[in-house]
Amino acid sequence: MAVFSGPRRASLLDVRSAAGQVFLLQVVIVVLLVLAAVAGMVLQGANDALQQGRRESVIAAHSFANAPGTAAALRSPDPSAVLQPRAEAARKRAGVDFIIAMSTTGIRYTYPYPKEIGKKFVGTIGPALKGRTVIEQAGGPPLPAGRGTDVQAVVPVTDSRGTVVGLVSAGLTVRNVAALWMPQLPIILGSGAAAVALAMTGTMLVSRRLRRHTRGLSPVELAELYEHHDAVLHAVREGVLITGADGRLLLANDEATRLLGLPPDAQGRPVRELGLPEPVMRLLSSPEAVTDEVYRVGNRLLAVNKRPTYPRAGQGGSVLTLRDTTELAAVSGRAEVARERLKLLYEAGVRIGTTLDVGQTAQELAEVAAPQFADLVTVDLLDAVLRGWEPTAGGWRHLRRAAIGGAQRMMPVYPLGEMITFSARSPQMRTLQEGRGLLEADLRQALGWREQDAERARKALESGLRSLVTVPLRARNVALGVVNFYRTADSPAFEPEDLAFAEELAVRAAVAIDNARRFTREHAMAVTLQRSLLPRGQPEQDALEVAWRYLPAEAGVGGDWFDVIPLPGARVALVMGDVVGRGLHAAATMGRLRTAVHNFAVLDLPVDEVLGNLDDLVVRMDNEEHAGDHEGAGVTGATCLYAVYDPVAGACTMARAGHPEPVVVRPDGTVTCAGVPASAPLGLGGYPFETAELSLPEGSQLVLYTDGLVEDRGQDVDAGMERLRRALDGSGSRTPEETCQVVIDALDPSRSSDDIALLTARTRTFPPSRVAEWDVPPDPALVPSVRARCRETLREWGLEEAGFAAELIVSELVTNAIRYGSPPVVVRLLHGRCLICEVADGSGTSPRLRRAASTDEGGRGLFLVAQFAQRWGTRYTPRGKVIWAELVLHDGGSAASPLPPVDFLLDRFDLDQPDDPAR
């Protein structure tokens, strides 16, 4: 209770509350009563004091006038001297304010203040001179009691003969008279305070009870609450009837009036006079309660609830509520349809666009809409959209059927993949031109649809197609195609609400289709770029039989690359690399690295130096990316495997920078790892690269791959390697092409999240019969014997026609090696698809080609070598260098180019005087 005491006191003093107003009225009444009592007491006291003053004044005046010696004193020569002391003594004894003795002319002989003696008396003395007593109220000079109105009595003083010899006046002031009622005032005020306290207590009790009944609401709040309840009562969509014990209608809200057809003056009239339906009358007359019973009233089904009012008092009234279940059923049906539509839109958001494939996205749209929204759904897209190109308005007349969905796939509609040319009056063309959906509620009346293909339309109508909604697929305000929703005769025809839903569904699907189109375009561009950077064909070489596979990732191309690079001496370099990242940036980086590997391979550097130079390049590229602050460019990194196979020695030298280890399949089918030490990936800088040399018998297969083949989200690299080994088991007799296909089929990497590059190379060796090698003593006089042995070897190989060029090249290279090189000098001839002439010596200096002046004695040898050889160059070995030249052979012996005329040779070169090639 203490919690609410503060607010209750505050409300008690609030004049806007009923309790405050009652309390204020009671206080006003108490104050008025107190004032009236005080006024009555004042008037009564004043009257009593006046009467008492009159009596006391008369008694005092008569007593002094009749006192012995008064008359004689008045006749004495100095009355004041005799009477003044007597008058003051008598005044004090009598308790009056003054006693005045005066002459018959009114001259005062006595007065409380001596200075007033001898002055004229203020008052009426005429009747007293005649022997009567005068009582009056009059003012006069100051008195000891203070100024004020006096109550005085004037009596005559007579001698023994009855002659008036003087006058005596005695009196009191009014102030002294008022003091008679002042003791009564505290009683009156105390009574008033007690009355106020009782009023406050009573008001608090009443206020407390009112609060309990009104739940603490003020009258204004109660009025507002009543207005709100009345407004709610008439606004609810449920009828309310309240009847009294006497059977009269006490209240009927607007909904009850509408449902029962009540007249405007129904309130207050007996229920039986209102003409209510029989079920309602019977229900009102029954004393039983009812819960959700349905009654038919006219063409309505009303759900009724009834409860008695004041059931404990037994007054017999009732409250009846009515709810129109007919309209509720319709509303419930619409709500259920809306709920199903929202559910379908949510399902469309989840199912449409799961992949970035345009055709698959279109098919997902068709499968979502059928059969939940339509019986048959077809999606027609611009051919440019399917290819990933930017759509244009010029392609609207030619759409390709991209998807068909629904159970009615046997309908005579255009098949998947067919190009459709829509007429100008067809709904599809109209919806593309107008940019909005179109509804054909009855296809039998749709002339434009039937004109598109009259025979196909006739068969479709015979099959049961009845209704069509066609909606454009638009994204970024660009039309991508149309989606057609069909319903058969077994389903209700489309309505305008269905058109709005179809447009909403098409908008969501169009965004997914456009995203897939843009991805298709970017993916195609990246794949085109990457494929243009990868080998397009196998180079001519004798060392390896090669096959490869490249599979770009679904989510976008990466930086995987491979290469087969012919090297001097019939050797071949194999490269397999993988750039970190995905997309155009990775593909462009891959192209730069592949070009760099080609350049390093041309220099014929050792495998570890090739990877070292490549590592420096990646570091520089990374620094350039950061220095240029390219947005979105991350750290450049890559892995690489570089291998060089020598078919003459049957050996392969390899090094790998963070790349998966290659697998070797021996001719007997045994699968082993190559055992190449792992080194740091490219881009870290400063780390050495270890090499390994393998001896590979002829027919061995070297399998190189990127990590996408053996590693994915669903498996780790060890499991992938084991699957690869199992796939390669028994591949010793397979061709590289067959081995690649077996691996791809076994590992099934078609949906890998990373690019996959696979390279298989089967080794070949040069037979000893096609290799000629001999040492040359360091004596220029022996050059003719070297030339003769070269001629003899070429004759054994059936290459007599190439003998002149080969002898010239070998003679020049041997002469230079003897004169300017270091022992040992070795000559080697290799007969493959071309003739390779090699001269090795122990010197590290390299010759260079220059054009000799006409007066120079030398400097023409390398020029002639370059004229006769298809290619020539120098490679370095741990023991020196090798100068090589290749001559292309045709039909087993003809040279690549016709021999220069003899006169030209004699003019440019003296065979008997070998020259210094201007090192």
Side-chain angles (χ1 to χ4, degrees), residues 259-260 276-280 282 293-304 322-326:
L259 293 176
L260 299 178
L276 295 176
E278 179 60 27
V280 179
R282 186 168 58 252
E293 291 192 4
V294 180
Y295 295 87
R296 178 175 291 278
V297 178
N299 60 349
R300 302 178 185 274
L301 292 177
L302 302 182
V304 181
L322 309 169
R323 186 172 67 255
D324 190 354
T325 58
T326 305

Side-chain angles (χ1 to χ4, degrees), residues 111-421:
Y111 201 80
Y113 299 119
K115 66 180 181 178
E116 300 293 333
I117 297 175
K119 296 180 179 181
K120 187 69 173 180
F121 174 72
V122 180
T124 303
I125 61 173
L129 294 175
K130 295 178 181 181
R132 295 197 299 273
T133 300
V134 178
I135 302 173
E136 65 177 350
Q137 298 179 4
L143 295 172
R147 289 184 177 273
T149 304
D150 298 335
V151 179
Q152 59 188 9
V154 181
V155 300
V157 178
T158 60
D159 57 8
S160 58
R161 294 191 295 274
T163 300
V164 176
V165 295
L167 300 173
V168 174
S169 176
L172 299 170
T173 63
V174 176
R175 181 174 296 176
N176 288 341
V177 173
L180 297 175
W181 53 266
M182 288 299 292
Q184 306 272 347
L185 186 59
I187 299 175
I188 296 174
L189 295 178
S191 300
V196 172
L198 290 174
M200 181 180 292
T201 303
T203 303
M204 290 181 64
L205 294 175
V206 172
S207 176
R208 200 175 281 179
R209 185 162 187 176
L210 286 175
R211 281 183 172 276
R212 285 198 299 269
H213 286 289
T214 62
R215 300 183 184 275
L217 299 176
S218 66
V220 176
E221 292 173 333
L222 284 174
E224 292 178 353
L225 183 63
Y226 171 78
E227 295 294 337
H228 294 165
H229 287 181
D230 186 68
V232 171
L233 181 66
H234 289 283
V236 295
R237 298 291 293 172
E238 189 166 351
V240 179
L241 291 176
I242 301 179
T243 60
D246 57 354
R248 292 182 178 274
L249 181 63
L250 301 181
L251 184 144
N253 68 346
D254 295 345
E255 183 67 7
T257 302
R258 184 183 71 86
L259 293 176
L260 299 178
L262 297 177
D265 60 344
Q267 193 163 317
R269 294 172 55 184
V271 175
R272 61 180 178 274
E273 298 179 2
L274 300 178
L276 295 176
E278 179 60 27
V280 179
M281 284 296 302
R282 186 168 58 252
L283 182 63
L284 289 174
S285 62
S286 173
E288 299 179 356
V290 172
T291 301
D292 285 338
E293 291 192 4
V294 180
Y295 295 87
R296 178 175 291 278
V297 178
N299 60 349
R300 302 178 185 274
L301 292 177
L302 302 182
V304 181
N305 290 274
K306 177 189 173 186
R307 291 294 183 273
T309 57
Y310 301 104
R312 297 181 181 177
Q315 296 182 8
S318 62
V319 176
L320 195 72
T321 61
L322 309 169
R323 186 172 67 255
D324 190 354
T325 58
T326 305
E327 295 184 1
L328 286 176
V331 172
S332 299
R334 289 193 295 270
E336 180 65 21
V337 172
R339 188 183 68 83
E340 291 296 330
R341 294 288 169 82
L342 288 176
K343 180 180 177 181
L344 184 56
L345 286 177
Y346 172 77
E347 184 179 353
V350 173
R351 293 179 55 187
I352 298 177
T354 58
T355 66
L356 290 173
D357 181 83
V358 176
Q360 180 63 30
T361 304
Q363 187 62 42
E364 290 170 349
L365 168 61
E367 292 176 355
V368 165
Q372 301 181 65
F373 176 67
D375 297 320
L376 174 65
V377 179
T378 61
V379 182
D380 304 323
L381 298 178
L382 276 71
D383 198 50
V385 173
L386 290 170
R387 297 174 181 271
W389 302 340
E390 194 70 25
T392 60
W396 287 0
R397 293 183 59 86
H398 305 287
L399 300 179
R400 191 176 297 277
R401 180 59 47 87
I404 302 176
Q408 306 293 333
R409 295 198 178 188
M410 299 307 295
M411 286 285 180
V413 295
Y414 292 103
L416 283 175
E418 183 169 341
M419 183 68 72
I420 306 172
T421 302

